[in-house]
Amino acid sequence: MLSAFTARPIVELKPRDKSKIESVLAYDDRLLVGLNTGSLRIYRVNEPVDDPNHQDGSTTAEDRPVPQSGARPVDLLREQEKFSKHKVEQLAIVKEAKILLSLSNSQVYVHNLQSYELQETLTKAKGASTLAVTSYTGSDESTVSRLAVVIKRRLILWTWKDGELAPDTSEITLVTGIKSLTWATDTRLIAGLNSSYVLVDIESSGITDIVGPGSIGGAPGQDGGRFSGAGVASMSYLGMSAPSPLATRLGEGEILIARDINTLFIDTDGGSLGRRQIPWSVAPEAVGYSYPYLLALQSAKGTLEVRNPKTLSLLQTIPLSSANQLHIPHSSARLANAGQGFLVLSDRCIWRMKAQDYDSQIDTLVDRGRLDEAISLLGMLDNALLKDKAGRMREVKMLKAQHLFDQRRYRDSIDLFTNVSAPPERVIRLYPPFVAGNASALSPSPEKHHQHLSLSDVDGASESKHVSEEGPSFISSRKGSAADTAEPSGNSDKTRELEGKDLMTASEELRGFLVSARTRMKKVLNPDGRVKAGVLDAMSQPDKSEIAALLGKKSIDASADQGELLQTAKMVDSTLFRVYMFVSPSFAGPLFRIDNFCDPDVVKEKLIEAGRYNDLVDFFYGKKLHRQALELLKRFGDVDTINVAAPQLAGSQRTVSYLQNLPPEQIELILQFAEWPLRRNPELGMDVFMADTENAETLPRLRVLEFLEKIDKKLAVKYLEHIIHELNDTTPDFHQMLVNIYTDGLKSNEFENEDERARWKHKTLDFLKTSPNYQAYKALGQLPKDNPNLYEARAIVLSNMGQHKQALDILVFQLQDADKAEEYCNQIYLNAMSQATTPTQSGRSPTTDPEDAPPSIYHTLLSLYVSPPPPHKPQWGPALNILAKHGARMPASSTLNLIPESLPIKELESYFQGRIRSANTIVNEGRIVAGMRSTLAFAEDAKVRLGDGLAGGNGGRNRRVIITEDRVCGVCYKRFGGSAIKVLPDNTVVHYGCSTR
């Protein structure tokens, strides 16, 4: 049992001393002992000498009193022999008034506290049977002491305030005689009557009946006769004295009342707290409370019982022969005086009960497996009385949780582990390796498990590094041994292997604990394993303590504990994954598809066992183990026959989708594993590089081009066309590369049919015309002069270089296509006109023909037709057609100089008609424009003079405006005054001088 107190005799009457101890009073270092002879002995109490054999809280055989060794416990200072003529039944003090009160021969006497001489006799207290004293600090910081004296049914009260006796006394009369009196609060008394209890409020004189079980008392009004106490519960005491009513104050707001073996816990208002009765087999002689224990003196057994007031469990039994009284100083029930002990007395001896160290008491309870009592005691003790209350409470609760786990009470166990934020390792180690992995403290179960497959059997060697699942040990060897041996039980289930239904149930409960721990860890950990220092610093202290508790520490440091946090998170997530795969496999997918710290080897092993290869690919992607994922996809996809183990991975679609989601930084991996999809299905494989995604658009394009050229130039052309035409890439090298590919295709002339060659040629010519980003001189070097397929391409490149005559030379003499030559001239002319800084009206040539006007592109074409280089002959048909259509766009003098004199004038009729029409058109347009402008000017003049004729509109010169003193100029914002003004057409009025600004 617990050794909360050690009994040490401090006063023992010698055998030749025939006196008997009747009463005691302890205050400060003084001990007053009242004898049956009327004498008063005054002792000085020395500090007790600790017995080294009892420092660890262990008990001697049967907790017998330990004799005092070394210095004497008390010294007799003096003996007041004629203190009273009769036996001293009760002693009390009013310290502030420096008086000692004694009850002797039914009379209350007042003595000097220093000399112990009689000062007066309280005449009003004649016939007193008991008294009770209390002291407290009032609302005005004054010290108030009260004396309550019982005289049969009457209750008389005296009051001292700061040591001064109040002149008036108060008296309260109850329905029957008072047997016992106990202060419940500073202003309320518990009075034990013949067969009931009442609560007396001395300020309001109110009386409250207390109703309890058995001999405690009945309904109001039942305690009115002499023999009313002879009820069912007290019939056995007829012919002998019935047990006295007992009462004692417990903790804050709690009071225990007892009669016979019946007990009742009440509050300070007299209401029942609804707690069970104390299991006494024999009625106690006295009850008391010494923080934090409930005391009961069993004189019939000669023992003192020490109980937990919350659980009512018997913690210690101390044999004290013939003991019949308890003396508990008024201050010993207070926290500030906890551990000072109390006194137990018999007729011949006084024992001092010394409290053991509270930490030692907790250790004793834990070592003996009384975990509930340890938890209850820790809850009652204040932080100041223990070295680390929070840590001890948490540790004991974890031991309790482990004991519940051993009893197969998994839900209660895991709930308690969660409540105290137990380190995950400590909980996980309770499970077999099938769930806990390397962290398990149990040997592998003989139960058959799934065969462990290696991923190398499926997708080749693994590149991941093994991450140890067993985190740092946060439990000392002492705690571990205590956890293993706590609450020993004869239940054989403790040694039974955790398997079958028990394993399933325990795993389901573990899931909740791990989810809770994971949620807390995510608050302070980034997905990359770094601690969120800002979040951790902003947390409240309780939240920080919860995080630290997961590591088995009292406090946490963001930098120093980062490694342990990461290891713990890995253990939690890996174990949670195992639990999901065992209990509810459908929940495993969502876990590893979000940010997690699962051990890749653990996940890989379990998913391969379950044949969930698609989920394994998703996990590899989340953990950025892309090579392993792509190797697995290739293993199942690059085969001719579908593997029944993973049909969803067959073909290249899954690989292409995976590669599309890889960032550009993984270009090496993308190019390595994009090859086999491109060879099996080029159209689908090109989606890796041409999909409408940010990743595809930001890939290194030159690397991709070089890669595609090695596989198939057609794929490179397709990619080049995609980035140039759809992504609008203006990189000159890419444009030049596409030009080279186009021209090489035309030169090779390796086409299946003419339609394909025509399409290729059309793309080439179109790109040469529209792209301004390739280098024309390099392109021209790629185009031989003697290849008919490249004539038009050379003409386009020469045109882009500004070599229009050479381009027309190709169109006229090599291609012999007058229509293309004319179309070419039209395009060049229109481009030149759109870029002209001062174009003429309608885009037509002026009627004048200045000599310094530069020859147009039509002039160049005409010269090639009329004066061709040898060996070509003049082409009069196309030449005259150009003159007829575009003669007006060429200077007349230089144009006519090209016409040989031998050409008949009749042939030039169309030319002259065109020139005349052009000149007439310009003149007519000028006249029309002049007339329209004259009409517009007339309309504006009429509007100014006559107005627009609209209601509220412009009135012309007939309109009027009102100038008030407050009206200001719209330009300078000054008042008009007598200044000259000007009225604008929109009726805006300004200063005349401001109108020109």
Side-chain angles (χ1 to χ4, degrees), residues 282-589:
V282 178
E285 184 73 20
V287 295
Y289 178 75
S290 180
Y291 184 89
Y293 296 109
L294 173 63
L295 310 171
L297 185 60
Q298 301 278 4
S299 59
K301 297 180 179 181
T303 59
L304 175 68
E305 291 185 355
V306 180
R307 292 182 180 269
N308 184 325
K310 298 295 184 183
T311 65
L312 306 183
S313 300
L314 179 61
L315 302 179
Q316 184 181 12
T317 300
I318 305 173
L320 299 171
S321 179
S322 303
N324 53 23
Q325 289 188 50
L326 284 175
H327 175 70
I328 303 173
H330 178 67
S331 61
S332 68
R334 297 179 180 175
L335 172 63
N337 299 283
Q340 290 188 355
F342 55 95
L343 301 177
V344 181
L345 57 149
S346 67
D347 292 343
R348 307 290 296 175
C349 182
I350 300 176
W351 292 273
R352 180 177 183 180
M353 311 304 294
K354 180 181 180 298
Q356 296 296 322
D357 176 67
Y358 290 114
D359 286 296
S360 300
Q361 296 183 35
I362 299 299
D363 290 338
T364 302
L365 289 172
V366 172
D367 292 339
R368 298 188 178 186
R370 306 196 67 177
L371 300 177
D372 288 328
E373 298 300 330
I375 293 172
S376 177
L377 181 57
L378 283 167
M380 291 186 292
L381 292 173
D382 191 83
N383 295 347
L385 301 178
L386 296 166
K387 295 178 181 178
D388 179 18
K389 177 180 176 179
R392 295 300 301 273
M393 175 68 85
R394 181 169 171 270
E395 176 63 24
V396 175
K397 284 186 176 181
M398 285 192 288
L399 294 175
K400 175 64 178 177
Q402 184 167 335
H403 173 64
L404 293 173
F405 192 90
D406 294 338
Q407 293 181 328
R408 302 306 193 237
R409 295 170 59 185
Y410 302 115
R411 172 163 296 184
D412 294 338
S413 172
I414 297 301
D415 286 347
L416 191 52
F417 274 128
T418 304
N419 184 48
V420 298
S421 298
E425 180 190 16
R426 186 161 185 171
V427 183
I428 294 171
R429 67 194 297 268
L430 301 175
Y431 288 79
F434 178 68
V435 173
N438 296 333
S440 174
L442 306 177
S443 59
S445 172
E447 175 186 20
K448 65 177 182 179
H449 297 304
H450 298 288
Q451 181 181 5
H452 299 299
L453 302 178
S454 172
L455 186 59
S456 60
D457 298 334
V458 180
D459 62 340
S462 169
E463 72 169 2
S464 66
K465 296 181 179 179
H466 175 69
V467 181
S468 175
E469 187 186 66
E470 182 173 1
S473 176
F474 307 123
I475 309 172
S476 66
S477 59
R478 179 186 180 280
K479 292 179 180 179
S481 62
D484 295 335
T485 60
E487 294 275 0
S489 172
N491 191 347
S492 61
D493 286 348
K494 182 173 180 179
T495 59
R496 184 160 57 88
E497 195 71 40
L498 185 61
E499 57 187 3
K501 185 178 180 180
D502 284 338
L503 179 58
M504 177 67 72
T505 303
S507 299
E508 288 178 348
E509 300 302 332
L510 178 63
R511 177 174 58 183
F513 171 81
L514 295 175
V515 169
S516 175
R518 186 178 192 276
T519 302
R520 296 175 185 176
M521 300 292 289
K522 283 186 65 178
K523 293 180 181 179
V524 296
L525 276 180
N526 286 308
D528 58 0
R530 292 182 293 106
V531 176
K532 301 176 182 177
V535 175
L536 188 60
D537 294 339
M539 278 185 171
S540 62
Q541 191 57 43
D543 291 340
K544 286 185 180 179
S545 299
E546 285 187 358
I547 301 299
L550 294 176
L551 305 183
K553 297 184 176 182
K554 296 179 182 179
S555 60
I556 186 170
D557 182 79
S559 57
D561 298 325
Q562 177 171 328
E564 292 187 14
L565 278 169
L566 182 57
Q567 285 293 92
T568 303
K570 288 180 179 179
M571 180 189 303
V572 169
D573 282 3
S574 299
T575 307
L576 180 59
F577 171 76
R578 286 195 187 96
V579 172
Y580 277 146
M581 290 297 294
F582 177 55
V583 176
S584 51
S586 60
F587 287 176

Side-chain angles (χ1 to χ4, degrees), residues 812-813 816 818 862 864-868 872-880:
V812 172
F813 299 114
Q816 297 181 1
L862 181 62
L864 289 175
Y865 282 142
V866 176
S867 302
H872 303 290
K873 297 180 180 180
Q875 300 180 28
W876 295 110
L880 294 175

